[in-house]
Amino acid sequence: MEKAFRDCLKPVIARVDGYAIGGGHHMAYLCDFTIASDRSVFGQNGPRVASPAEGWLVSHLWTVVGMKRAKEIWMLCRRYDAQQALSWGLVNAVVSPEELDAEVRRWCEELLMLSPTVLKLVKKSFDDSLAPVREAQDRFKIISQVNPGFWASGEQNEGASAFLEKRAPDFSAWR
């Protein structure tokens, strides 16, 4: 998914009308633009359910909202409404659900008025600025350095089971 967004040299707009949590949140902040309805909710869930995300996919968020906010989003797993996401720069615009499609259409029409080649150059320039981080982190899996036995430890199973059972996980055995 993230490679497809990067490799597509046309602007990619995330249209969010509801929850963008975990993987949906990745998609929303990796897109070039994010237009949300005012009933949208954003956030991460990885540490809450022991679902490891790592590398540039995680750290890319700091280029969107700043380092302190990115760490807050990732480490505390809180939920943020659309207005909060807008004020942090996580989304570009917030409209009512009834206006969402029209707003996305307006952004598309505006983009279609611009030079397609220059838009491609601009998009690639932004993407290339992050290439050294991606390349360094793609050479190895960070989880293998942090906890080589993670998958066999049961920690991830506890997180997934707690999520499916709608209960708080108990990670005390892994502290």
Side-chain angles (χ1 to χ4, degrees), residues 120-155:
K120 289 175 186 176
L121 290 170
V122 169
K123 181 166 178 170
K124 183 147 178 48
S125 296
F126 278 109
D127 186 56
D128 284 356
S129 71
L130 297 172
V133 173
R134 277 196 317 273
E135 290 165 8
Q137 293 179 345
D138 283 346
R139 283 188 226 132
F140 53 85
K141 290 290 187 183
I142 296 172
I143 197 164
S144 297
Q145 294 177 329
V146 172
N147 183 353
F150 175 77
W151 295 109
S153 72
E155 183 177 351

Side-chain angles (χ1 to χ4, degrees), residues 5 10 16-17 33 35 37 40-41 45 56 71 78 95-96 98 109-110 143 151 154 162 164 171 173:
F5 291 168
K10 296 178 181 179
V16 180
D17 186 21
F33 305 103
I35 314 296
S37 75
S40 296
V41 179
N45 218 23
W56 76 269
K71 287 180 178 182
R78 293 176 179 163
V95 297
S96 70
E98 299 77 28
E109 289 168 357
E110 189 172 345
I143 197 164
W151 295 109
L164 293 172
F171 292 121

Side-chain angles (χ1 to χ4, degrees), residues 100-113:
L100 186 57
D101 288 334
E103 184 68 12
V104 171
R105 196 172 309 109
R106 281 190 286 278
W107 284 66
C108 291
E109 289 168 357
E110 189 172 345
L111 288 163
L112 288 169
M113 299 297 295

Side-chain angles (χ1 to χ4, degrees), residues 64-122:
V64 178
V65 298
M67 187 66 78
K68 294 288 186 178
R69 292 292 186 199
K71 287 180 178 182
E72 176 183 332
I73 291 167
W74 268 103
M75 292 183 182
L76 295 178
C77 302
R78 293 176 179 163
R79 301 294 178 253
Y80 304 93
D81 66 29
Q83 288 301 322
Q84 185 68 58
L86 179 65
S87 72
W88 286 1
L90 192 57
V91 302
N92 299 91
V94 176
V95 297
S96 70
E98 299 77 28
E99 287 294 311
L100 186 57
D101 288 334
E103 184 68 12
V104 171
R105 196 172 309 109
R106 281 190 286 278
W107 284 66
C108 291
E109 289 168 357
E110 189 172 345
L111 288 163
L112 288 169
M113 299 297 295
L114 303 171
S115 166
T117 299
V118 174
L119 285 175
K120 289 175 186 176
L121 290 170
V122 169

Side-chain angles (χ1 to χ4, degrees), residues 47-50 75 147 153 155 158 168-175:
R48 179 179 290 137
V49 296
M75 292 183 182
N147 183 353
S153 72
E155 183 177 351
E158 169 58 17
D170 179 6
F171 292 121
S172 60
W174 296 277
R175 300 250 179 263

Side-chain angles (χ1 to χ4, degrees), residues 12-78:
V12 178
I13 300 175
R15 176 196 175 278
V16 180
D17 186 21
Y19 286 90
I21 306 294
H25 189 240
H26 292 300
M27 287 192 279
Y29 72 73
L30 287 172
C31 285
D32 301 305
F33 305 103
T34 303
I35 314 296
S37 75
D38 55 19
R39 64 182 172 197
S40 296
V41 179
F42 298 84
Q44 281 303 327
N45 218 23
R48 179 179 290 137
V49 296
S51 176
E54 60 186 320
W56 76 269
L57 188 62
V58 171
S59 61
H60 177 70
L61 184 58
W62 81 265
T63 68
V64 178
V65 298
M67 187 66 78
K68 294 288 186 178
R69 292 292 186 199
K71 287 180 178 182
E72 176 183 332
I73 291 167
W74 268 103
M75 292 183 182
L76 295 178
C77 302
R78 293 176 179 163

